[in-house]
Amino acid sequence: MSDMTRKFGIHAAVGVLAAAAAWCVHAQSAPAPDATAPPAQAQPVANAPQDAGASQAMERQGIFKAVRGEVTVVRGDARSAAVVGGPLRTSDRVITGPQSAATISLLDGTVIELGAGSTADLTQFRFDSTTNEGGMLVNLARGTLRMITGLIAKTQPEHVKVTTPTAVIGVRGTDFIVEAQ
């Protein structure tokens, strides 16, 4: 038992930890940068399951695990600062400012890291946790992206794609970096 817990009780210790966590989340948030174009429309991943329909666009497909500097989420016409623990949904655009970065964990265990000055869209994401089947399409408009693939790529690598303005990348490995200028 810590000295703080002995002296003030467990409720005080929990309160201090909650306040520290709230401060950390607040310290990581940042104001949104200037407006940019809305997410581009891209072709869906071939043969990806279509059973979830439009309702998946409203569901959380991933969460922000780390946010550094100015990181903005564009959802339709709404713009908001990304925060650790905040949701990422299908059709969201993530924009990182200069000297900024974000790490996102998707439902299948895929980890996406965006470097400074990047713009990326989660154009498509479907995942069935029972069968580990699904599909993913990420559009990197500019900047750098590192992807550590999850369960979809392990069971159906042909259903994981990353597009850039000049290329379409079919995923066959488990960890790779892409840069678009």
Side-chain angles (χ1 to χ4, degrees):
M1 196 179 263
S2 74
D3 291 337
M4 184 168 143
T5 305
R6 271 188 242 125
K7 188 172 182 180
F8 298 108
I10 191 73
H11 295 294
V14 169
V16 169
L17 289 174
W23 180 83
C24 287
V25 168
H26 175 73
Q28 291 175 345
S29 64
D34 295 331
T36 61
Q41 296 297 321
Q43 297 298 317
V45 176
N47 300 322
Q50 302 291 325
D51 56 345
S55 67
Q56 281 211 331
M58 299 306 292
E59 295 177 18
R60 177 183 63 87
Q61 303 303 324
I63 62 170
F64 285 89
K65 290 296 208 178
V67 174
R68 182 177 50 113
E70 295 179 16
V71 180
T72 303
V73 177
V74 180
R75 186 170 295 134
D77 293 332
R79 300 171 64 83
S80 62
V83 294
V84 173
L88 184 71
R89 297 184 172 99
T90 301
S91 299
D92 282 356
R93 170 170 276 188
V94 180
I95 304 168
T96 60
Q99 300 176 355
S100 302
T103 302
I104 302 159
S105 178
L106 300 177
L107 292 176
D108 75 323
T110 294
V111 176
I112 297 173
E113 298 175 358
L114 293 173
S118 297
T119 300
D121 305 327
L122 183 61
T123 306
Q124 181 186 48
F125 185 86
R126 289 182 178 75
F127 177 64
D128 182 333
S129 60
T130 304
T131 64
N132 292 340
E133 293 180 350
M136 176 185 337
L137 176 60
V138 177
N139 178 32
L140 178 65
R142 66 182 167 98
T144 57
L145 173 146
R146 177 182 183 202
M147 182 181 283
I148 304 165
T149 59
L151 293 173
I152 296 172
K154 285 178 180 44
T155 60
Q156 299 174 299
E158 68 277 8
H159 291 177
V160 178
K161 302 267 191 264
V162 176
T163 62
T164 71
T166 57
V168 176
I169 300 156
V171 175
R172 296 297 179 265
T174 57
D175 187 343
F176 62 92
I177 298 172
V178 180
E179 183 175 5
Q181 298 188 13

